């Protein structure tokens, strides 16, 4: 995950290059380091270096890294002729390279030659069953074909091997949510919270899923996780503050007065409501009346 500082640095460097201030190579290196997707820019500025003999020669062995980076960006932009030329030069320089072989399989993907690409990936996995890149390409290929069940199957198989891959767990959770398979999504978020307990976004997504599932037990648990988001963010997550109020209202309707909220829960509800009203007064005063109306409809207005 890219930090705000890194994103600011990247955007500043991108603006510098866009305005002719130089630094194209530094920009490309930063894009590669942060693993962000800026394909059009990478293609444009990468080719500006590769097509200039003096600039290309000054890169030394990094020239081949740039060819690879440009090839991937070109496939992303459907500039398949450029990608093909880059891969051809890489194959000539590294005739036995499996890394270049992966690029060739990705080019087959980009062309829509799914069967050939799958055959190539299967061959790579026979030689090295622990090749993470190939496993991920299979997931991407299934998604590109609209084969969501296939993507779920490949992701589950991948996670059986690479259980510590947070991005894969998050991607699987998001697919489950899109299919309204909330119990399966909840399991994925539980895994993420166990491995990254201080990341508020995991707690927030888990609380959202539990709230959507409904039921008294799920709502009570969702409320606790919304509270943990507030704790982790210093009370600055508006969505979690709303979540506290929504859960409080839903729990009250389900309990129908049989189970009174304990003092701590009532205090939390009051604090969340006060924090929301304060936030709206500072950032969106024109919408404060809408907030007040919404909170009154939940019977949680301060």
């Amino acid at each position: 995950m890219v930090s705000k500082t890194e994103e600011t640095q990247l955007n500043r460097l991108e603006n510098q290059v866009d305005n002719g201030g130089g630094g194209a190579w530094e920009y490309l290196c930063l894009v590669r380091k942060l693993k962000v997707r800026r394909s059009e820019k990478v293609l444009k500025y990468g080719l500006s270096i590769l097509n200039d003999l003096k600039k290309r020669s000054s890169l030394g062995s990094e020239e081949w890294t740039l060819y690879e980076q440009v090839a991937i960006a070109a496939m992303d932009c459907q500039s398949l002729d450029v990608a093909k030329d880059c891969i051809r030069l890489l194959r000539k320089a590294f005739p036995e390279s499996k890394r270049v072989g992966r690029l060739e399989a990705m080019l087959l993907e980009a062309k829509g030659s799914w069967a050939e690409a799958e055959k190539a990936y299967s061959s790579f996995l026979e030689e090295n069953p622990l090749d993470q890149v190939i496993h991920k390409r299979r997931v991407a290929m299934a998604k590109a074909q609209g084969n969501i069940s296939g993507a779920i199957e490949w992701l589950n198989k991948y996670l059986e091997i690479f259980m510590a891959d947070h991005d894969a767990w998050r991607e699987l959770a998001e697919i489950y949510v899109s299919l309204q398979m909330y119990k399966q999504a909840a399991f994925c978020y539980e895994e993420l919270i166990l491995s990254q307990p201080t990341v508020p976004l995991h707690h927030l997504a888990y609380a959202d899923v539990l709230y959507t599932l409904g039921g008294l037990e799920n709502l009570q648990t969702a409320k606790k996780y919304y509270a943990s988001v507030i704790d982790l963010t210093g009370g600055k997550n508006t969505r979690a503050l709303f979540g506290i109020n929504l859960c409080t209202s839903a729990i009250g309707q389900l309990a129908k007065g049989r189970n009174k909220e304990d003092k701590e829960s009532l205090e939390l509800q009051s604090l969340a409501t006060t924090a929301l009203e304060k936030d709206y007064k500072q950032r969106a005063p024109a919408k404060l009346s809408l907030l007040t109306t919404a909170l009154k409809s939940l019977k949680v207005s301060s």
Side-chain angles (χ1 to χ4, degrees):
M1 188 178 293
V2 179
S3 68
K4 287 185 178 180
T5 303
E6 290 170 332
E7 187 175 0
T8 300
Q9 181 186 1
L10 181 63
N11 290 334
R12 184 170 59 247
L13 193 52
E14 185 175 290
N15 288 332
Q16 176 185 312
V17 180
D18 284 342
N19 293 319
W25 173 245
E26 290 76 12
Y27 171 73
L28 293 168
C29 288
L30 187 58
V31 168
R32 193 163 61 246
K33 176 186 174 183
L34 299 181
K35 298 180 180 179
V36 293
R37 192 170 182 173
R38 303 281 176 102
S39 300
E40 291 183 1
K41 300 288 186 182
V42 168
L43 180 59
K44 178 181 177 180
Y45 297 124
L47 284 177
S48 71
I49 294 174
L50 292 176
N51 291 334
D52 185 313
L53 180 59
K54 185 178 179 181
K55 291 180 179 178
R56 188 175 75 239
S57 300
S58 68
L59 298 179
S61 60
E62 290 291 326
E63 172 187 348
W64 306 114
T65 302
L66 182 57
Y67 270 116
E68 180 184 37
Q69 188 177 10
V70 170
I72 293 171
M75 286 185 271
D76 210 14
C77 297
Q78 279 297 298
S79 298
L80 301 186
D81 288 338
V82 173
K84 185 178 179 180
D85 289 341
C86 290
I87 294 171
R88 177 178 53 79
L89 289 169
L90 285 166
R91 175 55 74 192
K92 184 176 180 181
F94 308 98
E96 304 298 325
S97 172
K98 297 290 189 298
R99 189 163 168 174
V100 177
R102 287 201 298 262
L103 289 174
E104 291 169 338
M106 288 171 65
L107 184 59
L108 291 172
E109 264 191 80
K111 291 177 179 178
S113 302
W114 309 116
E116 293 179 59
E118 173 59 32
K119 184 178 179 181
Y121 289 145
S122 296
S123 176
F124 285 128
L125 287 176
E126 284 179 9
E127 293 182 25
N128 180 13
L130 301 180
D131 191 324
Q132 284 185 275
V133 174
I134 298 301
H135 281 286
K136 289 182 176 181
R137 289 315 317 163
R138 278 183 144 178
V139 175
M141 192 164 66
K143 291 176 72 175
Q145 295 176 82
N147 182 10
I148 302 302
S149 61
I152 290 174
E153 180 184 352
W154 290 123
L155 268 172
N156 276 304
K157 288 182 177 179
Y158 171 81
L159 286 167
E160 287 176 5
I161 305 171
F162 305 102
M163 290 177 284
D165 191 324
H166 308 128
D167 290 333
W169 280 114
R170 187 166 57 249
E171 183 175 3
L172 183 57
E174 289 170 357
I175 291 175
Y176 281 138
V177 168
S178 72
L179 297 175
Q180 299 182 14
M181 299 171 69
Y182 297 116
K183 289 184 179 179
Q184 291 85 341
F187 176 82
C188 296
Y189 286 123
E190 287 166 1
E191 290 290 329
L192 283 167
I193 290 169
L194 282 170
S195 58
Q196 294 183 307
T198 59
V199 177
L201 288 178
H202 300 337
H203 293 251
L204 184 62
Y206 184 50
D208 285 344
V209 167
L210 292 175
Y211 177 80
T212 304
L213 279 169
L216 186 57
E217 185 177 345
N218 285 330
L219 289 168
Q220 289 171 334
T221 306
K223 187 174 180 180
K224 291 176 182 177
Y225 278 91
Y226 282 129
S228 72
V229 175
I230 293 170
D231 184 45
L232 289 167
T233 59
K236 296 180 180 180
N237 191 293
T238 303
R239 186 165 168 175
L241 293 170
F242 269 115
I244 291 290
N245 288 323
L246 288 168
C247 286
T248 300
S249 176
I251 291 169
Q253 290 174 20
L254 285 176
K256 294 180 181 178
R258 292 192 302 271
N259 296 317
K260 293 183 179 181
E261 290 283 310
D262 58 43
K263 184 179 179 181
E264 186 177 327
S265 294
L266 291 172
E267 287 177 355
L268 178 61
Q269 165 202 326
S270 178
L271 288 170
T273 302
T274 302
L276 272 174
E277 291 174 341
K278 181 180 178 182
D279 191 34
Y280 270 69
K281 284 177 184 177
Q282 291 178 344
R283 299 198 296 170
K287 296 182 179 179
L288 182 59
S289 60
L290 294 175
L291 173 70
T292 302
T293 301
L295 294 177
K296 282 182 178 178
S297 71
L298 298 172
K299 296 182 181 179
V300 293
S301 179
S302 57

